[in-house]
Amino acid sequence: ARLQHPLGVSLDNTGKRLFVADTYNSKIKILDVYSRVISTLHIGYPLDQPGGLWVAGDQLFIANTNAHEVLRVDLNTRKVEALEIREEPSFV
């Protein structure tokens, strides 16, 4: 497989799947650690240079860099939610 500027990586809780942010291809790849087969995670949501990943249970969090958002993907249903991020007022 050819990856174009992979940035973020995160291993799932089973230790079997490594998620890779294939940044310049705007895709999330899944590497099966044991078979060494790589596939694309299809979520039905436009990614724009994803840069960071984190797996927490059955949830995958994606820093969708050029879209200026953080996504939460349910790995069972592939449902995608853009997280609302608010800036707290500064008291300095």
Side-chain angles (χ1 to χ4, degrees), residues 17-36:
R17 297 182 300 175
L18 182 68
F19 292 84
V20 180
D22 189 7
T23 303
Y24 288 166
N25 284 323
S26 291
K27 296 179 180 177
I28 304 300
K29 298 291 189 168
I30 305 170
L31 172 65
D32 183 299
V33 174
Y34 297 107
S35 70
R36 297 185 181 181

Side-chain angles (χ1 to χ4, degrees), residues 4-92:
Q4 181 65 20
H5 200 71
L7 287 178
V9 295
S10 188
L11 192 63
D12 75 356
N13 295 339
T14 67
K16 296 178 182 177
R17 297 182 300 175
L18 182 68
F19 292 84
V20 180
D22 189 7
T23 303
Y24 288 166
N25 284 323
S26 291
K27 296 179 180 177
I28 304 300
K29 298 291 189 168
I30 305 170
L31 172 65
D32 183 299
V33 174
Y34 297 107
S35 70
R36 297 185 181 181
V37 171
I38 196 163
S39 60
T40 300
L41 176 68
H42 298 284
I43 60 171
Y45 190 94
L47 296 176
D48 193 355
Q49 294 191 3
L53 300 175
W54 179 51
V55 176
D58 292 334
Q59 307 292 310
L60 173 65
F61 293 85
I62 304 170
N64 200 15
T65 306
N66 279 355
H68 309 285
E69 63 187 358
V70 176
L71 306 175
R72 177 174 46 210
V73 179
D74 183 305
L75 292 172
N76 295 318
T77 65
R78 299 295 197 263
K79 180 182 174 188
V80 180
E81 175 187 9
L83 300 180
E84 181 181 340
I85 301 173
R86 297 182 303 240
E87 184 175 340
E88 293 293 324
S90 175
F91 295 104
V92 177

